[in-house]
Amino acid sequence: MSIITLLTDFGSFYPAQMKGVILSKLEGKDVTFVDIAHDIPPQDVRAGAFALLSSASFFPTGTIHIAVVDPGVGTKRRGLVVESGGQLFVGPDNGLLIPAARSLGQIKSYEIALRFEASNTFHGRDIFAPVAALLAAGQSAASMGPRTRPKTLSFGEPVKTDKGIELSVIYVDRFGNLVLNMRKLPVFEVRLKGIKLKRVRTYAEGRRIEPLITLGSHGFAEIAVNQGNAAEAFCLKAGDRIELEEI
Amino acid sequence: MSIITLLTDFGSFYPAQMKGVILSKLEGKDVTFVDIAHDIPPQDVRAGAFALLSSASFFPTGTIHIAVVDPGVGTKRRGLVVESGGQLFVGPDNGLLIPAARSLGQIKSYEIALRFEASNTFHGRDIFAPVAALLAAGQSAASMGPRTRPKTLSFGEPVKTDKGIELSVIYVDRFGNLVLNMRKLPVFEVRLKGIKLKRVRTYAEGRRIEPLITLGSHGFAEIAVNQGNAAEAFCLKAGDRIELEEI
Amino acid sequence: MSIITLLTDFGSFYPAQMKGVILSKLEGKDVTFVDIAHDIPPQDVRAGAFALLSSASFFPTGTIHIAVVDPGVGTKRRGLVVESGGQLFVGPDNGLLIPAARSLGQIKSYEIALRFEASNTFHGRDIFAPVAALLAAGQSAASMGPRTRPKTLSFGEPVKTDKGIELSVIYVDRFGNLVLNMRKLPVFEVRLKGIKLKRVRTYAEGRRIEPLITLGSHGFAEIAVNQGNAAEAFCLKAGDRIELEEI
């Protein structure tokens, strides 16, 4: 049995076309699809990279991940297969796959050199899905094309400032929690936009509507409002820079 | 083959982590995942309980349902496995599982006493998913921990008033239909906020934009606006109390 | 292994009930579900027909598609099984299935004459899901009922005007791209609401926020705003008529 995950910014019905292509190519071979997310903010490669990074390590050896957040579709940007920790990642060469692949160990990247009859706007269906089907059918990553050095993507590092630290928001979940580019809690008490954030181990330690900072289940610091919505309360969205002031 | 359903308020990518954990633990054993809903209003345990209640009876014997709407995550609230009518329910002890389990017959509840390495914010992935995998692999509910008495949850009962009946809205679907805590239609003609609701067997009996009351496919009374949106028209949301006045 | 796709305007948890019914009837027979879309605008049969048309050809022979966008549920509108190109389509007789079925070749339509215990509001679960289960279990389309002539649905044809062509918007995707009822690009340069649309092969040929017209991966002309949202920019939605003026 093959496990194939899909992560895109496509919303509905385009992901189903990708699954149809894979099922057609696999001709009855058993496959389990897992949708990681299809509601990545349109063309937000960093948000997609974060969601894939958060999820990949929970899947078993042999899993094939297709990820497509692809503002460069139809240009000369290359397609990649990346191998790491016994899992395979298929998608555009724009950094999307790399944090997840690196989190599993040493990576090997291959440029997709096979040629497909492809539309100019939907390589997820016309290139990446058929490549995933070939991999699920047992072909090696190396057989897809030559070794290459992929484009990387960084969530950036916390920057020390006069007053505290500057960070960026890399993801906003549906609770309005703000995921930050920092893999630990600040060691000092902090304020955001003048409002103190209570450092907690779990949301339930906060009072109702109290702003919190905690280490999320994904390993990144996260600002939340207990039983509320931090993104709305602080008027912040993915991509925004923030400063946490030391109290 | 195991059937495992998932119901959460997580939106995207966290449910995929739960599936990844289960697939990793099952090591190739065949599993069919069915997503019941991941768009339950954040932390609305009653709405989640309603969605699970509406769905469980349609699944075959042996189905394992994981449900996680969990404002108390990280506190001392317990985890449960509930057995009823040949199906299993896994989730927090906050009432979420109980209406669905009770609808299938006599329930047996077990406190999850197994210890897992768990984050403070995501027991769906760190506790309930591994427990579901153990159950899918053939372990018994009783082997998860001691029998216990679960917290219950009630949708409340209709209350007779001077003018008619008082009810509460337990769910709003994407059509804006308002599901009420009453398992039959009122026997008299009714008004809501001064507007008459036509009692119908099917939406198509109403004229365009006419407010209706019908017995929904889930067995609860439901207020709809034919080809319109009752939640918007009446300015109501899940949790609101309403009064249906007898005409 | 059976492949069963689902396309509805139900949002969440009602599609899971349909899957539960199918799994119950199939008693362990292997089935792969693919959700095409459950976010079709409520009761927008044309949008549903477009999504199904766009997707069906990518699925393998033997696939069973259940599609339910069904404003006439509970009335005398009939249920259909349509056979075409080795695939089967199950749903209401309101045109929803026909463009997709026709795109695969000659169609044969059968009225569902089997009688089920059905609610008045949810034939997707009470009739179409059980029919799909029977088909997946090996029964023929012809065994469901007599041959019939289905209601058809047309996306309409482009209309020549004094200034250019009049078209309609048949779908708006989550990027805000406007899918039009025309299966090629205009041969002349065009304006929409006074604003020039650049004819491109791929979105990336446009400058940031530049309005574009391209032939989408589904084979229909599509208006987009590069890294923006055309539906918002031009204040248009599914069903709207537009005029493309020749420059």
Side-chain angles (χ1 to χ4, degrees):
Chain A
M1 186 195 60
S2 296
I3 297 166
I4 299 180
T5 80
L6 297 97
L7 177 146
T8 75
D9 60 354
F10 294 159
S12 78
F13 97 77
Y14 296 108
Q17 295 181 13
M18 297 169 64
K19 294 177 187 174
V21 166
I22 292 167
L23 290 166
S24 295
K25 304 249 176 221
L26 286 181
E27 295 177 348
K29 187 175 180 305
D30 213 11
V31 60
T32 296
F33 291 116
V34 176
D35 295 295
I36 292 182
H38 297 298
D39 62 351
I40 300 298
Q43 311 196 326
D44 186 339
V45 178
R46 273 160 50 106
F50 167 73
L52 189 60
L53 165 64
S54 296
S55 306
S57 68
F58 298 103
F59 284 84
T61 299
T63 297
I64 299 165
H65 303 278
I66 312 177
V68 193
V69 180
D70 194 11
V73 65
T75 65
K76 287 188 185 304
R77 77 97 189 86
R78 306 174 306 167
L80 290 185
V81 177
V82 182
E83 200 168 29
S84 181
Q87 301 192 37
L88 293 164
F89 298 83
V90 184
D93 179 24
N94 62 10
L96 176 65
L97 311 175
I98 304 308
R102 287 224 171 111
S103 76
L104 303 180
Q106 193 84 35
I107 72 171
K108 285 189 189 168
S109 300
Y110 303 88
E111 179 180 346
I112 296 170
L114 298 183
R115 289 294 157 243
F116 299 89
E117 200 183 316
S119 69
N120 293 305
T121 51
F122 194 1
H123 287 187
R125 181 190 70 199
D126 299 334
I127 297 177
F128 303 131
V131 164
L134 291 171
L135 296 169
Q139 294 202 26
S140 69
S143 68
M144 300 299 131
R147 278 292 290 274
T148 189
R149 181 191 299 267
K151 285 207 176 141
T152 57
L153 175 151
S154 163
F155 297 115
E157 292 298 322
V159 177
K160 185 92 193 71
T161 64
D162 283 357
K163 295 178 180 171
I165 37 176
E166 196 181 288
L167 299 164
S168 68
V169 176
I170 58 181
Y171 195 85
V172 179
D173 71 19
R174 82 177 290 248
F175 298 91
N177 296 338
L178 303 161
V179 180
L180 306 176
N181 63 333
M182 184 167 59
R183 287 169 177 275
K184 57 177 192 204
L185 283 186
V187 290
F188 38 83
E189 297 287 320
V190 293
R191 271 196 299 245
L192 172 61
K193 296 189 174 182
I195 294 165
K196 189 184 165 186
L197 304 177
K198 183 176 183 185
R199 285 182 297 172
V200 297
R201 281 174 48 257
T202 167
Y203 304 139
E205 287 174 37
R207 292 187 312 275
R208 194 170 145 73
I209 313 297
E210 188 177 22
L212 311 172
I213 187 164
T214 188
L215 201 62
S217 62
H218 34 63
F220 289 84
E222 186 173 297
I223 295 170
V225 169
N226 196 30
Q227 296 175 55
N229 186 306
E232 285 176 10
F234 290 105
C235 232
L236 288 167
K237 60 183 190 313
D240 285 349
R241 306 283 301 170
I242 63 167
E243 184 173 27
L244 295 185
E245 291 180 64
E246 190 171 345
I247 301 179
Chain B
M1 186 194 61
S2 296
I3 298 166
I4 299 179
T5 81
L6 298 96
L7 177 146
T8 75
D9 60 354
F10 295 158
S12 78
F13 98 76
Y14 295 109
Q17 295 180 13
M18 295 168 65
K19 294 177 187 174
V21 166
I22 292 167
L23 290 166
S24 295
K25 303 249 175 221
L26 286 181
E27 296 177 347
K29 186 174 180 305
D30 214 11
V31 61
T32 296
F33 291 116
V34 176
D35 295 295
I36 293 183
H38 297 298
D39 62 351
I40 300 299
Q43 312 196 327
D44 187 339
V45 177
R46 272 160 51 108
F50 167 73
L52 188 61
L53 165 64
S54 296
S55 306
S57 68
F58 299 103
F59 284 84
T61 298
T63 298
I64 300 164
H65 303 278
I66 313 176
V68 194
V69 180
D70 194 12
V73 66
T75 65
K76 286 187 185 303
R77 77 97 190 87
R78 306 173 308 166
L80 290 185
V81 177
V82 182
E83 199 168 30
S84 181
Q87 301 192 37
L88 293 164
F89 298 83
V90 184
D93 179 23
N94 61 11
L96 176 65
L97 312 175
I98 304 307
R102 287 225 171 110
S103 76
L104 302 180
Q106 193 84 35
I107 72 172
K108 284 189 190 169
S109 300
Y110 303 88
E111 179 180 347
I112 297 170
L114 298 183
R115 289 294 158 245
F116 298 90
E117 201 184 314
S119 68
N120 293 305
T121 52
F122 194 1
H123 288 186
R125 179 190 73 200
D126 299 335
I127 297 177
F128 303 131
V131 164
L134 291 172
L135 296 169
Q139 294 203 25
S140 69
S143 68
M144 298 299 132
R147 279 292 289 275
T148 189
R149 181 191 298 267
K151 284 206 178 142
T152 56
L153 176 151
S154 162
F155 296 116
E157 292 299 322
V159 176
K160 185 94 193 70
T161 63
D162 283 358
K163 294 178 179 170
I165 37 175
E166 196 182 287
L167 299 163
S168 68
V169 177
I170 58 181
Y171 196 86
V172 179
D173 71 18
R174 83 178 291 248
F175 298 91
N177 296 339
L178 303 160
V179 180
L180 305 177
N181 63 332
M182 183 167 59
R183 286 171 176 274
K184 56 178 191 200
L185 284 186
V187 290
F188 39 82
E189 297 289 319
V190 294
R191 271 196 299 247
L192 172 61
K193 295 188 175 183
I195 294 164
K196 189 185 163 183
L197 303 177
K198 183 176 183 186
R199 284 182 297 172
V200 297
R201 281 173 49 258
T202 166
Y203 304 138
E205 288 174 37
R207 294 187 311 275
R208 193 171 146 69
I209 312 298
E210 187 177 22
L212 311 172
I213 186 163
T214 189
L215 202 61
S217 62
H218 33 64
F220 289 84
E222 186 174 295
I223 295 171
V225 169
N226 196 30
Q227 295 175 55
N229 186 306
E232 286 177 11
F234 289 104
C235 232
L236 289 167
K237 59 185 190 313
D240 286 349
R241 304 284 300 171
I242 63 167
E243 185 174 27
L244 294 185
E245 290 180 65
E246 189 171 347
I247 300 180
Chain C
M1 186 194 60
S2 297
I3 298 166
I4 298 180
T5 80
L6 297 97
L7 177 147
T8 75
D9 61 353
F10 294 156
S12 77
F13 97 76
Y14 295 109
Q17 295 180 13
M18 296 168 65
K19 294 177 187 173
V21 166
I22 293 167
L23 290 166
S24 295
K25 303 248 177 222
L26 287 181
E27 296 177 348
K29 187 174 180 306
D30 214 10
V31 60
T32 296
F33 291 117
V34 177
D35 294 296
I36 293 183
H38 297 298
D39 61 352
I40 301 298
Q43 312 196 325
D44 187 339
V45 178
R46 273 161 50 108
F50 167 73
L52 189 61
L53 166 64
S54 295
S55 305
S57 68
F58 298 102
F59 283 85
T61 298
T63 297
I64 299 165
H65 304 278
I66 312 176
V68 193
V69 180
D70 194 11
V73 65
T75 66
K76 287 187 185 303
R77 77 97 189 86
R78 305 174 308 166
L80 290 185
V81 177
V82 182
E83 200 168 31
S84 181
Q87 300 192 37
L88 293 164
F89 298 83
V90 184
D93 179 24
N94 62 10
L96 176 66
L97 312 174
I98 305 307
R102 287 223 171 112
S103 76
L104 302 180
Q106 193 85 35
I107 72 171
K108 284 189 191 170
S109 300
Y110 303 89
E111 179 180 347
I112 296 170
L114 298 184
R115 289 295 158 243
F116 298 89
E117 201 184 314
S119 67
N120 294 304
T121 51
F122 194 2
H123 288 186
R125 180 191 72 199
D126 298 335
I127 297 177
F128 303 131
V131 164
L134 291 172
L135 296 169
Q139 294 202 25
S140 69
S143 68
M144 299 299 131
R147 278 291 290 275
T148 190
R149 181 191 298 270
K151 284 207 177 141
T152 57
L153 176 152
S154 163
F155 297 115
E157 291 299 321
V159 177
K160 184 95 192 69
T161 62
D162 283 358
K163 295 179 177 169
I165 37 175
E166 196 181 289
L167 299 164
S168 68
V169 176
I170 58 182
Y171 195 86
V172 179
D173 71 17
R174 82 178 290 249
F175 298 92
N177 297 339
L178 303 160
V179 180
L180 306 176
N181 63 332
M182 184 167 59
R183 286 169 176 276
K184 56 178 190 201
L185 283 186
V187 290
F188 39 84
E189 297 287 320
V190 293
R191 269 195 300 246
L192 172 61
K193 296 188 174 183
I195 295 165
K196 189 184 164 184
L197 304 177
K198 184 177 182 185
R199 283 182 298 171
V200 298
R201 281 174 47 259
T202 167
Y203 303 138
E205 287 174 37
R207 293 186 312 275
R208 192 171 148 70
I209 313 297
E210 188 176 23
L212 311 172
I213 187 164
T214 189
L215 202 61
S217 62
H218 34 64
F220 290 83
E222 185 174 297
I223 295 170
V225 168
N226 196 30
Q227 294 174 56
N229 185 307
E232 285 176 11
F234 289 105
C235 231
L236 288 167
K237 60 183 190 312
D240 285 349
R241 305 283 303 170
I242 62 166
E243 184 173 26
L244 295 184
E245 290 180 66
E246 189 171 347
I247 300 179

